[in-house]
Structures are given as structure tokens and as C-alpha cells.
Amino acid sequence: MPLAGTPSSVRSDPAARTVRVPTGRGARPGARAGARRAEYLAPYALVAPAVLVIVVLRLYPLVLGVNFSFTGDGELDGTAVGLDNYVTLFGDPLFLGALRNVGLLVLLLPVAVAIPGLLATFIHLRVPGHRLFRGVYFFPAVLSPVIVGAIFNLLLAFDGPVNAVLDTVDLGPVDWLGDPDVAIFAVVGVHVWATFGMALVVFLAGFSTLDPSLLDAARIDGAPLPRIIWHVIIPGLSRTIQFVVVTTMIGMLTSMFGLLYVMTSGGPGGATYLPEYYIWIQQGQMSRPALASAASTVLFLVMVVVGLLQISVLRRSGRAE
Amino acid sequence: MRNGPLGTVALAAVLVLVGCGSAAGPESSPDGGNKLVVWDWKSGDPAAAAYVEEAKTDFARKHPDVTVEFVAQPFDQYYTLLGAAIQAGKGPDVMLFNGGGQLRDRVDALVPLDDHVAEDRDRLSGWDAFTEDGRTYAAPVTLQGHPIYYNEELYERAGLDPDRPPATWNEFVSGCTTIREKTGATCFALGNKEGIGIQFFLSGLGSGALTDQEYDDWIAGPRNWTSPNMRRLFQLWTDTDGAGLNNEGANSTAMFNDSFALFSSGKAAHVIGLMSDVGHWKDFGEFLDPGDVGVMRAPVITAGATPSLPYDGGIGYAVARWTADPHLAADLVRSLTSRDALAAFHTGAGAIAADTAIDVSEAGPAAAAIVSEIESGEPALHVALSSTTLDLMGRLSQQLLSGSVTVEEALSQLAASDEGG
């Protein structure tokens, strides 16, 4: 953050100084010194609200939360219990399952990025109806997860339309939300469907920076579409792809609660638990807020790792520029 | 106009102060004692409006200078919000609870009401669900239980006598086979998406599977999870699904209200439902002819078992530890459980009220059948369990249906959780 540079640039602005010199009277040296001190303090005062909001509303509660995770629940409320909550947490197959599902999300990330990337490519290459698709693809992004979840609850119900269609081609009914091996993929699939519109827009913005002469040259040379994608589009969009990877990952880790809540309630048998759902259950349903704090702390650490990766990726792309 | 730097500093300071102000917590109830705040998830429901009005009137007669504010919270978030209030040590003076684990987990935050509600003890039923270690922490408003409802019209179409529902498990299963053949309806409507289908199954059929002694021991604890009869009950949970007695996809069918809709639409012959609120005689009577909604006792699974209606106190009002005047708050609880108020709740919301002297003759044969069973009824098996064990049981029940855990493994995990909790 270029804090140090700001005061000098303020002071060196001749126009600003001219305005602040009192007119009609001679500028006294004391007043000028006061004005200079105020000018020097101004940038700190300007960042103070933001800093205070972060410290008071973010960092302080965070520290309280971490501190709270070292205390007990129920009868032990307020008593220091050391690392007991973390021991409980890592001995709880449900929480470990939730962390495994986080790992699964990371593995599914390339798919979640490739889908909007591929569709944006088609739109950029002006497939017939590309204007319509551009709007249609973005449409789910404006729906709330609860509505999306409710829609797919109906579509994916055991006696719902998706299974009815599968039945006509003898693929038999699939218990999309009731089979522990299928449910997490169903929920992630719906999440990707609901959110890829935003990534698509980012990709389209990235395409606008792509040099069209490169594409034209490849076409003239007779390169087929897969080779154009691999050798021209992907290298040209590397920074966009990095950005989409990071934002999609964060979206998957922190914004799936609504869908889980509506579609599976973490089930069947805990197969679709994610840490944030676990936190909610422990705090709200099990009345174990300290354990929930410990789980929050672990989720926070996971997010810190993702956040640091984000920073390093953005830095690297910044250097590339 | 341009502000000088000092003006900017002042503006920033004001913004910071405003920001801090907006970060302050929600307003807590005043300690003055002239206002009581009640949290529940009922008072916003139009069906409960007459009940709230009756209770307020009754309380105003005793304490004309005290105002009562009802804050209706969304039920989904209720215990989360309450948990935050308890953690902060301030919040409502009086609050609504479900009986059983939800209350027992939070008795540290409540005032024992035994001295305050002594006069109501005989008039109301369902106290056990609000009692922990011999102390009563809430007064019951409704009774909640798990009658087995059956569709008399389907019985008739299948050539079975609707007035003589099956008394043993074997009769029950063979009746179901006949119904399936003649009408296409499944035996049970089961929704286990939330993992609570097992609670209804355990309590609804438990009195037919456990001997009287086993039943009483279970309620008193410590519980024997691996007794042959309990194992049989869990085996039946798996087997009924495997044998196609349930609707397909039970793990992805929501109990509220998809499974109840299956019963209401005649696609299933039986459902283990509730007595009050939802999924009960009144709901079913809106779709089926109220005269076709039958209530049966649990079929006898183990010879010598005595089937009974499983029920407990459903919802009840408790007094928070931090309230300024527990006497005053307890008086409000008494008004909320007065006969007139409960009669209004029965009429408006179709609940079986905790005061069983209230006339239910207008409500149809199913409600009358349920009320007639209350005297011989027993506490429901699952209400004795902690919320941690119930949560685990919900997940294991789903795994049992999907075949990813065996009955033995499930029971040993449940025994460990029950012992630890």
C-alpha cells in the first residue's frame, strides 16, 4: 500500500496550496505550520475509517473467535480447555468428511473453470445464436441459491422430470440427492450451473483483450478449433484464467451453504457436508458454539491458504504485465 | 466548496463513530420489568393469532402495567439465534422450546419453574419433555407425538376392514402387500432427507417392539442399544425399505412436506406423522376425507409388547435466567398455558393442546382417537436422546438405507454417542 508516498504528493500539489492560503490577510507562519500538520495528518485520517472498520469489525471478532475456540461448551462454557475442541474436531468423521469434500471441490475446480471458458470461446467465435446464449448463460447468476436449490430439488427428485427423461432411454432412475456417491456431484454441478455466468463474463472481457490478428492468422493457416484453443486462446488468456480459478475456488468454498441447506441438508449420511455447514449445525442445532468456533478457525486457515495463493497468482500476473 | 484538512478529519471521525454505532448489538429487553419480550416461531402465524391474543388478555388481567412483546423468529434459525442470545447472556425473557433435547441442552440458561407452575401440574400433560434432573424448565403448550395414520379408503379398496387395522407386524406387512397389489399404493410414506424419518419410525413402532420393561428402561436410561428387540427395530428400518414398503428415494424425499403429500394424495397407505402443528390429522383431513384418516396403534412386533401412543410435551414456554423478575415471566408462561389460550390454539392451529380437558369433538375422528390414547400413552423413544445422538442417528439412518453401514455398526456408534452425551 503506497501510504508513504501520499503525503508528499498532497503537499506538492500547488493548486491545493493556493486555495488553502487565506485571502485578504497575510499568511501567518503559525497558521501555515498548523495547516501543514493537518495536511500531513489528512491521509491517515482518511484511511482511519477503513482501518478501524477492519480492526473493530473484522480482526477483533476474529481474535475473539479464535480465543473462544479454546474454551468449552455447555457446562464448561467459558472455561479454558486448551486444544480439546480441535482434538474433537479432527476425531469427528463428519468434519473430516467435510474437509475431504473441500479437497474434492479443489479437484473439480478445472471442470468448473473449463465450462465457462469453453462456452465463452464459442460465443467469442460467434457460433449461431451467440447473442442469445450470452444472455441465457448469465441468467442463473442473478438467482439466489435458495431458488436455484428449490428448482433443482424438483428437477432432481426421485420421481422428477430428469429421471423421467432418463427412464425413456432406459437409463433407470438415479437418486440424485439421495445416493451418497452422487449427491455431492449433483450439488456441485448445480452450483457450477448457477454461478458460471459470472466467470463467463470475465472470460468474455478477457477475450476482448485478445489480439484478433493472432486468431485470424491461425485460421488462415488452417488450424483446427482445438489447436486454436490450445495454442492461441489459452496462452492469451492466462491471466484471465488465473483470476477465474481463484474466484471460482473461493465461491465454491464459501457460497455453497444455501444450496446444501436446501438440496441435501448435508446428507445423505453426511456425504455433502462442507465446513461451513458443519459450523452452522454445531452452533445452531447442537448448541456447541466453541466447537463451531474451532471449525471456523480451521476453515479460516484453509481460506488463508487459498487467499495467499490468490495473492501470489495476482502478483505473478502483475509482473507479467 | 472544498473542505480543509481539518474538516476532512472531522468528517472521518463522524463516519467512524457512526460505523461503531451501527456495530452495536441488538437491543436487549429492558431490565425495568415493565416489559417482557417473548421469542417464538408461532406468534407470526395467523393460525396462532387467537391464541396469542387470549394469552395476552389473561396476562393483562393480572399485570395491567406490563407490556408483552412477541418476537416471531423463523423456525429454521430459531436455535441459532437463541444460541447467540444465550452466549451473550441477554435476550428474551420468555422463550418457546421444543420438548426434549433442544430444551435439555440449554437448561443452564433457564429458570426452574416448579414452584411457579405447581397449580397447573395436574391440568396439563407432557411435563416430562421439559424436565431435567427432576426440575421443570418449561410449561407445555401442545402435546407432540407420533401416531400411525392410515388411509381408510385404500384399506376399503384393497378389501381390508378399515375399522380393524392390523394388530401384528405380520398382519401389517401382508395387508400392505394386498394394498400394493390392489391399489398400487406403497405401505409407508417415508421422507428421510432431513434424517428425521428414523425418529418417527423408532418412536412410532417402538412400543410394539420393546417389552414394557425395556421401554421404561430406555426412557430412564442408560439405554441398551444392542438388545435383540432394538436391533430388530433397526433391522426393520433397513428391511422395510429393501422390501419396497417405502416410497422410492426415501433419502431424497423431504419429510416436510413431500412424504406427507404422498400420504395425503393416496400414494401411500400409512404414514407415521405428528399430533400437532403439521403432518397431522388436520393437514391430512384437508386432502383426504377427514373420515378416511384413521389412527392405529403400533403393530406388535415382539410378542408381549404393549403398543401405546408415543407422545411428549410438544412445545412449551420457558423463562430465561437473565430475566429481571422471574415471577413476572413465570406468570406470563402460565397465561400462555391457560385453558382459554390453549383452547384457542387447538381451534386455530389444529394442535392437540397440553390441557386434555379441552373439547376436540369438532376436530374429527382422528383427533378424538388420538386424545383417547393420551392417558395410556408413553414418552416417545427418540425424545429421550440428546440432539448429538439424534443428529448421528439421522445420518446413520440414511447410511442404512443406502447400504453404506450395517445395523451392527450403526447401533454401536449410537451406543457410544449416547453414552458420551
Side-chain angles (χ1 to χ4, degrees):
Chain A
M1 207 166 14
L3 254 184
T6 319
S8 63
S9 67
V10 170
R11 277 202 303 274
S12 64
D13 181 356
R17 289 184 73 175
T18 318
V19 172
R20 286 195 198 93
V21 170
T23 50
R25 275 188 284 165
R28 283 173 293 119
R32 286 186 67 166
R36 188 168 294 167
R37 194 164 51 245
E39 278 181 11
Y40 184 77
L41 287 175
Y44 297 103
L46 287 171
V47 296
V51 171
L52 274 174
V53 164
I54 289 171
V55 169
V56 175
L57 299 182
R58 292 284 169 102
L59 296 181
Y60 180 59
L62 180 71
V63 171
L64 283 184
V66 174
N67 183 45
F68 188 57
S69 74
F70 296 111
T71 64
D73 284 313
E75 288 170 2
L76 292 173
D77 186 21
T79 323
V81 295
L83 290 170
D84 280 8
N85 285 326
Y86 292 89
V87 173
T88 310
L89 213 51
F90 285 99
D92 184 352
L94 193 59
F95 186 71
L96 297 179
L99 288 184
R100 261 198 305 280
N101 281 339
V102 168
L104 183 70
L105 292 184
V106 174
L107 291 180
L108 289 173
L109 188 61
V111 181
V113 174
I115 290 172
L118 211 55
L119 293 173
T121 308
F122 291 144
I123 290 174
H124 183 70
L125 297 176
R126 296 193 189 341
V127 293
H130 65 275
R131 281 177 208 283
L132 174 73
F133 288 131
R134 196 165 49 190
V136 169
Y137 288 154
F138 189 73
F139 177 63
V142 302
L143 296 177
S144 93
V146 174
I147 293 169
V148 171
I151 292 171
F152 276 89
N153 261 347
L154 294 174
L155 289 176
L156 299 176
F158 194 87
D159 53 357
V162 172
N163 274 340
V165 170
L166 286 180
D167 202 33
T168 58
V169 288
D170 276 347
L171 279 173
V174 177
D175 199 357
W176 295 104
L177 303 176
D179 184 331
D181 299 326
V182 178
I184 185 77
F185 294 101
V187 178
V188 173
V190 171
H191 176 77
V192 170
W193 177 85
T195 56
F196 83 87
M198 207 56 89
L200 187 95
V201 170
V202 176
F203 270 119
L204 287 176
F207 271 116
S208 67
T209 65
L210 201 62
D211 186 353
S213 61
L214 287 176
L215 279 178
D216 291 341
R219 277 206 200 101
I220 289 165
D221 289 344
L225 182 64
R227 300 200 74 162
I228 294 181
I229 292 176
W230 188 249
H231 291 291
V232 181
I233 293 179
I234 289 181
L237 288 184
S238 63
R239 265 177 288 147
T240 309
I241 293 170
Q242 284 167 353
F243 178 76
V244 171
V245 164
V246 171
T247 51
T248 307
M249 187 71 242
I250 290 174
M252 276 180 148
L253 284 181
T254 59
S255 314
M256 281 190 46
F257 179 86
L259 276 186
L260 287 178
Y261 183 78
V262 176
M263 290 179 70
T264 64
S265 309
T272 55
Y273 258 72
L274 283 178
E276 52 177 346
Y277 193 78
Y278 182 91
I279 292 162
W280 183 79
I281 288 283
Q282 293 302 336
Q283 200 272 324
Q285 310 297 303
M286 302 294 125
S287 195
R288 300 180 74 179
L291 183 68
S293 283
S296 305
T297 307
V298 174
L299 178 61
F300 171 71
L301 291 177
V302 171
M303 295 310 297
V304 165
V305 171
V306 173
L308 289 177
L309 283 176
Q310 178 188 26
I311 289 170
S312 81
V313 163
L314 292 179
R315 271 216 190 114
R316 211 179 326 147
S317 52
R319 270 203 298 276
E321 209 171 353
Chain B
M1 186 187 125
R2 292 181 73 165
N3 289 327
L6 285 174
T8 313
V9 172
L11 178 67
V14 168
L15 283 175
V16 168
L17 287 176
V18 169
C20 290
S22 66
E27 199 182 325
S28 61
S29 62
D31 325 344
N34 54 4
K35 183 182 174 191
L36 289 173
V37 176
V38 183
W39 275 19
D40 61 22
W41 60 87
K42 285 281 172 202
S43 56
D45 182 354
Y51 162 68
V52 171
E53 221 30 68
E54 281 289 346
K56 273 184 169 171
T57 312
D58 187 78
F59 185 70
R61 262 199 301 272
K62 291 184 264 181
H63 302 282
D65 54 333
V66 180
T67 46
V68 180
E69 185 192 348
F70 281 82
V71 181
Q73 306 282 11
F75 181 65
D76 286 354
Q77 298 294 325
Y78 185 74
Y79 289 105
T80 310
L81 295 168
L82 199 56
I86 289 171
Q87 207 57 47
K90 54 184 175 184
D93 303 284
V94 171
M95 48 223 183
L96 189 60
F97 272 99
N98 291 98
Q102 295 291 17
L103 175 108
R104 293 199 180 106
D105 287 353
R106 297 172 174 86
V107 290
D108 292 349
L110 305 175
V111 176
L113 295 180
D114 300 82
D115 298 340
H116 303 288
V117 296
E119 283 177 49
D120 296 330
R121 200 158 276 280
D122 293 335
R123 184 173 59 86
L124 303 175
S125 311
W127 292 98
D128 287 352
F130 302 109
T131 304
E132 172 81 345
D133 291 335
R135 286 194 198 147
T136 305
Y137 290 94
V141 173
T142 63
L143 299 180
Q144 189 58 286
H146 303 278
I148 304 173
Y149 294 97
Y150 66 101
N151 184 333
E152 298 195 5
E153 199 244 326
L154 288 177
Y155 266 64
E156 254 169 54
R157 270 168 53 199
L160 303 171
D161 182 359
D163 297 327
R164 292 189 56 245
T168 67
W169 181 254
N170 287 342
E171 279 177 42
F172 180 80
V173 173
S174 82
C176 279
T177 314
T178 313
I179 291 171
R180 183 79 201 230
E181 282 166 6
K182 297 275 173 63
T183 69
T186 60
C187 184
F188 280 116
L190 176 64
N192 199 39
K193 182 174 181 173
E194 307 93 337
I196 48 180
I198 183 75
Q199 299 175 16
F200 285 48
F201 188 89
L202 181 71
S203 291
L205 297 174
S207 65
L210 302 188
T211 64
D212 293 356
Q213 188 61 46
E214 283 177 321
Y215 202 104
D216 293 344
D217 290 350
W218 179 277
I219 299 299
R223 283 164 279 279
N224 183 359
W225 284 88
T226 48
S227 73
N229 287 334
M230 186 47 69
R231 189 175 292 147
R232 170 115 171 89
L233 204 48
F234 272 81
Q235 193 62 51
L236 281 181
W237 166 259
T238 313
D239 292 350
T240 46
D241 198 63
L245 294 183
N246 298 330
N247 48 287
E248 289 183 290
N251 267 351
S252 55
T253 304
M255 173 176 279
F256 304 99
N257 286 314
D258 294 352
S259 73
F260 295 139
L262 287 173
F263 179 74
S264 297
S265 58
K267 288 179 182 160
H270 307 87
V271 70
I272 303 174
L274 293 165
M275 275 161 58
S276 300
D277 296 337
V278 285
H280 64 328
W281 45 274
K282 192 173 187 193
D283 279 359
F284 301 143
E286 283 173 13
F287 293 92
L288 303 169
D289 182 331
D292 284 340
V293 181
V295 176
M296 67 198 280
R297 286 186 174 180
V300 173
I301 296 164
T302 304
T306 322
S308 58
L309 175 74
Y311 83 93
D312 296 88
I315 53 173
Y317 282 100
V319 172
R321 186 171 34 79
W322 53 77
T323 190
D325 182 354
H327 257 293
L328 188 69
D331 261 357
L332 178 57
V333 170
R334 293 200 60 203
S335 293
L336 284 160
T337 50
S338 66
R339 179 161 291 168
D340 289 346
L342 294 184
F345 200 47
H346 165 72
T347 315
I352 302 288
D355 188 334
T356 50
I358 290 170
D359 179 25
V360 296
S361 55
E362 300 282 302
I370 291 169
V371 171
S372 73
E373 293 280 328
I374 284 174
E375 198 167 344
S376 63
E378 297 281 345
L381 294 177
H382 77 269
V383 176
L385 304 175
S386 71
S387 25
T388 309
T389 305
L390 287 175
D391 182 59
L392 176 66
M393 187 165 77
R395 272 179 280 123
L396 288 170
S397 73
Q398 294 170 333
Q399 291 172 354
L400 282 169
L401 292 189
S402 63
S404 47
V405 72
T406 65
V407 170
E408 289 300 317
E409 286 164 1
L411 288 173
S412 75
Q413 283 189 44
L414 285 166
S417 162
D418 194 21
E419 217 167 285

